């Protein structure tokens, strides 16, 4: 499949919509070569601008999909629009669905022990044809990394979903993706919290009005500081609109 990329403030985003993304990742599972999928939003783009090692890590991911309305908007401003928003949460479900056709094996890593356990049983209910070969919580130290990686390797999954904070999950995946040997590894942030029922996704109305971020802010006011990245992102995009989508 031909790659279609738009670079936004130095971060190469895939222009594919959901369907093409799933098709590409299905091919990646067959090819058995490690693919790190990052579902990136404006907060992550801003983090990359401020931290060169985070930026380099992102640039080395095999696929970055446009999560977040802000990224979709920026691609339009840059004159090279992505097809649509590809939300990590939706992509997880699409891949689980696809897994039923191909009998994929899935490992879940992250969140608290109760949340990941509930997530596993809920996903089994929803997608009985996709096998959950293992799961474990995301609260472990760097010293335990090796043990965690070995545990995952033993189950030889086709997909690995990692649900830790964005600042840790993506660098962790980048560091271990070769050793893990899993074809598709994707950071899914707070998705297990939603699947398990611990937190709720924004009501449909908020989703429709593209105000999911506002809903999350109301529910978790501690996100406020991080959300300041959004207006900074917008200012940066508008200021650099002329050469926004140049690779650098
Ligand atoms: N989490 C984890 N290990 C950690 C920190 C967080 O497994 O060391 C989990 C947490 O339980 C939640 C998910 O990562 O399920 C996302 O956490 P948070 O909402 O804080 O992530 P952010 O939105 O900051 O990326």
């Amino acid at each position: 499949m031909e790659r279609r990329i738009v670079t936004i403030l130095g971060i190469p985003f895939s222009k594919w919509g959901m369907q093409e993304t799933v098709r590409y990742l299905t091919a990646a599972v067959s090819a058995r070569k490690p693919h790190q999928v990052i579902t990136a939003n404006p907060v992550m783009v801003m983090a990359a601008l401020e931290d060169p090692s985070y930026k380099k890590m992102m640039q080395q991911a095999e696929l970055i999909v446009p999560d977040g309305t802000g990224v979709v908007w920026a691609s339009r401003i840059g004159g090279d629009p992505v097809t649509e928003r590809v939300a990590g949460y939706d992509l997880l479900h699409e891949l689980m669905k696809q897994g039923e056709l191909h009998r994929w094996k899935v490992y879940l890593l992250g969140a608290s022990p109760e949340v990941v356990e509930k997530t596993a049983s809920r996903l089994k209910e929803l997608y009985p044809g996709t096998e959950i070969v293992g799961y474990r919580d995301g609260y472990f130290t760097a010293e335990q990394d090796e043990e965690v990686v070995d545990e995952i390797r033993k189950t030889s999954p086709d997909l690995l979903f990692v649900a830790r904070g964005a600042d840790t999950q993506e660098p962790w995946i980048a560091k271990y993706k070769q050793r893990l040997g899993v074809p598709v590894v994707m950071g899914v942030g707070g998705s297990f919290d939603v699947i398990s029922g611990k937190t709720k996704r924004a009501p449909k109305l908020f989703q429709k009005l593209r105000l999911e971020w506002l809903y999350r802010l109301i529910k978790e006011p501690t996100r406020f500081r991080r959300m300041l990245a959004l207006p900074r992102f917008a200012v940066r995009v508008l200021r650099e609109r002329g050469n926004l989508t140049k690779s650098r």
Side-chain angles (χ1 to χ4, degrees), residues 10-248:
I11 302 299
F13 279 90
S14 153
K15 287 171 67 176
W16 288 329
M18 182 60 84
Q19 259 193 354
E20 290 165 298
T21 303
V22 171
R23 208 181 316 142
Y24 171 78
L25 293 175
T26 303
V29 170
S30 312
R32 312 238 43 100
K33 259 184 32 211
H35 281 70
Q36 174 175 14
V37 184
I38 300 184
T39 69
N41 54 37
V43 176
M44 288 161 81
V45 174
M46 292 314 282
L49 289 181
E50 278 149 28
D51 179 352
S53 66
Y54 194 79
K55 181 172 179 181
K56 192 160 166 231
M57 179 279 299
M58 283 186 84
Q59 289 172 331
Q60 285 170 352
E62 282 68 22
L63 189 70
I64 303 184
V65 303
D67 196 346
T69 317
V71 175
V72 177
W73 167 78
S75 71
R76 289 194 190 130
I77 295 285
D80 193 7
V82 300
T83 306
E84 63 187 342
R85 176 179 178 205
V86 179
Y89 184 81
D90 298 331
L91 183 53
L92 181 156
H93 282 284
E94 289 300 324
L95 288 172
M96 289 299 297
K97 209 185 281 170
Q98 193 70 7
E100 297 208 279
L101 298 175
H102 303 277
R103 299 266 144 193
W104 283 343
K105 297 195 279 177
V106 178
Y107 194 103
L108 311 172
L109 177 67
S112 71
E114 310 81 72
V115 165
V116 73
E117 192 188 336
K118 263 200 202 141
T119 302
S121 55
R122 182 80 188 116
L123 289 176
K124 276 181 201 162
E125 261 169 48
L126 290 170
Y127 310 101
T130 304
E131 193 187 352
I132 309 280
V133 288
Y135 58 84
R136 81 162 278 165
D137 69 275
Y139 293 87
F140 52 88
T141 62
E143 287 74 47
Q144 291 170 286
D145 280 356
E146 307 274 318
E147 171 198 321
V148 173
V149 169
D150 285 348
E151 196 181 303
I152 296 168
R153 278 182 61 94
K154 265 192 222 141
T155 64
S156 58
D158 301 294
L159 302 181
L160 167 62
F161 295 119
V162 183
R164 301 172 95 194
D167 39 351
T168 43
Q169 75 191 10
E170 260 64 53
W172 193 89
I173 294 170
K175 186 167 175 192
Y176 293 110
K177 65 183 170 191
Q178 296 302 335
R179 295 240 333 258
L180 282 162
V182 179
V184 174
V185 187
M186 180 165 110
V188 295
S191 295
F192 294 176
D193 293 328
V194 179
I195 295 167
S196 68
K198 185 178 168 231
T199 58
K200 294 230 172 339
R201 208 180 170 193
K204 283 273 177 299
L205 181 65
F206 278 80
Q207 290 184 33
K208 234 193 182 134
L209 296 173
R210 303 191 174 156
L211 292 173
E212 257 181 298
W213 59 272
L214 178 63
Y215 178 81
R216 290 192 77 180
L217 184 60
I218 297 165
K219 298 293 263 194
E220 298 171 65
T222 52
R223 304 183 79 86
F224 183 69
R225 256 188 69 78
R226 190 169 17 173
M227 292 238 168
L228 291 176
L230 287 172
R232 287 196 292 117
F233 174 79
V235 167
R236 190 81 185 240
V237 165
L238 292 172
R239 210 172 58 203
E240 298 193 23
R241 63 196 319 165
N243 57 0
L244 182 68
T245 56
K246 300 245 166 72
S247 14
R248 67 193 82 183

